[in-house]
Amino acid sequence: MFIHTPVVFINGAWLHALSWESWAERFANHGYLTYAPGWPGEAATVREAREGPDMPPDIGLDDLSGHYAEIVRRFDVPPVIVGHSVGGLVAQHLLGTGLGQAAVAIASAPVNDVALRTCPESADAAGEPTGAAVALSRERFRGLVGNAVSGPESDQLYERYAVPAPRRLLNDLGCRGAPRHPSTLVDTGNTARGPLLLVSGQEDLLVPDQVTRTVYKQYGDSTAMTDLKQFADRGHSLVIDSGWRFVADYVLGWLGERGVRPTVPGR
C-alpha cells in the first residue's frame, strides 16, 4: 500500500488561493495529494474577496505562519510546501522550524534582514495610507505583477486572481519603514531541514531577482540542500501566467532529483 505525498500551496499577497488551480491539477496528475487551503478567513471567491465588507481579514504574518503550520502538522506524511511571494517566505519559515520534507519558495518576499524593495500602497490625496486593505488597480497590477506578459494577458490574470492584501501583513514585511515582524526570520543555518528551492523571475519588479540571490547567499553556511533557479524574461506572475507549466515542471523535476516522490510506502 502506498500513500500519496501531500503538497501544500501557499498563495502570496494580492493573489487568491485560486492562483494555484493549474499547479494543483498538474501535481495531482503526477501522483501528489494537493492542497491550496488559502489564507485564514480568505473569501471563497475572488469576487467576494474584492467586494466583501470584511475582506481581506485583518491578519498579520504571525497569523499566516501559524495557520499554515497547523495545516502542515496535520499530515501523517510530511508535505512539500510550495509558496509564492509572501507564501514563499512562510514556506521558508516553516521548513526552517523543521516542518515539511521540502519547500519551494517562488519569487519569495525576503527573509531576515534582506530589504523589501517595492511596497505598493493605497493612499489618499495627501499620500497617507487609507483603510486596512491594500488593493492593486488593474494598471498597478500590470506594472508590478504582469509586467513580463502582454497587457491583455495581465488583465485576464487580474480579473481571475487579484485580491486586496491586508495592510497589517504588509507592515509586518517592513512596508513604509515599519519594523519587520519576527516571523520574517528564518533559520538559514539549520542543517537538519529538508531541501529548499528558491525560484526567481529575472524580470520580476515586485521581488527582484537580486533579492532572491541575496537570500540564497544567506543559506551558504548551511550544509542542508539549497538550490536556486532563475527564469529569464519572467516576472512576478510566473506561477499564474501562460508560462506557469515550465516553472511547475521544473519544480516537479527538482523534487524527483532530491528524492521526494509522489507516493511513499504506507504504514
Side-chain angles (χ1 to χ4, degrees), residues 3-10 32-37 67-82 94 98-101 264 267:
I3 299 175
H4 293 279
T5 299
V7 179
V8 175
F9 294 101
I10 308 177
Y32 290 97
L33 188 64
T34 59
Y35 294 86
H67 171 71
Y68 283 102
E70 182 179 344
I71 290 170
V72 168
R73 290 191 181 102
R74 293 175 187 167
F75 296 101
D76 293 330
V77 176
V80 175
I81 308 170
V82 180
L94 297 181
L99 295 177
Q101 62 174 297
V264 296
R267 298 173 181 174

Side-chain angles (χ1 to χ4, degrees), residues 80-216:
V80 175
I81 308 170
V82 180
H84 173 243
S85 190
V86 176
L89 188 158
V90 173
Q92 293 177 74
H93 180 79
L94 297 181
L95 189 70
T97 61
L99 295 177
Q101 62 174 297
V104 180
I106 305 171
S108 174
V111 305
N112 299 338
D113 59 351
V114 182
L116 188 68
R117 299 289 185 85
T118 304
C119 189
E121 288 282 0
S122 295
D124 60 18
E128 292 300 317
T130 57
V134 177
L136 297 181
S137 66
R138 184 191 304 267
E139 293 72 25
R140 190 68 165 146
F141 181 91
R142 188 184 308 168
L144 288 175
V145 179
N147 61 291
V149 300
S150 69
E153 181 178 358
S154 177
D155 290 346
Q156 290 175 359
L157 298 176
Y158 177 85
E159 288 301 324
R160 185 159 185 80
Y161 301 120
V163 296
R167 185 179 302 282
R168 182 155 71 93
L169 176 68
L170 299 179
N171 288 341
D172 284 350
L173 296 174
C175 283
R176 297 182 64 87
R180 288 166 65 83
H181 193 275
S183 291
T184 61
L185 299 178
V186 171
D187 183 5
T188 55
N190 183 351
T191 60
R193 63 164 172 81
L196 169 66
L197 173 64
L198 301 175
V199 177
S200 68
Q202 293 186 326
E203 298 301 320
D204 193 332
L205 299 180
L206 198 55
V207 183
D209 171 67
Q210 183 179 355
V211 169
T212 304
R213 286 188 281 115
T214 301
V215 170
Y216 175 67

Side-chain angles (χ1 to χ4, degrees), residues 237-260:
S237 66
L238 77 173
V239 298
I240 54 173
D241 61 35
S242 55
W244 71 267
R245 191 186 300 267
F246 295 103
V247 185
D249 285 352
Y250 183 89
V251 171
L252 284 165
W254 176 83
L255 288 171
E257 292 171 359
R258 296 295 169 244
V260 180

Side-chain angles (χ1 to χ4, degrees), residues 207-229:
V207 183
D209 171 67
Q210 183 179 355
V211 169
T212 304
R213 286 188 281 115
T214 301
V215 170
Y216 175 67
K217 291 177 182 177
Q218 291 205 354
Y219 285 97
D221 293 334
S222 173
T223 57
M225 181 61 64
T226 308
D227 292 316
L228 172 66
K229 173 61 178 177

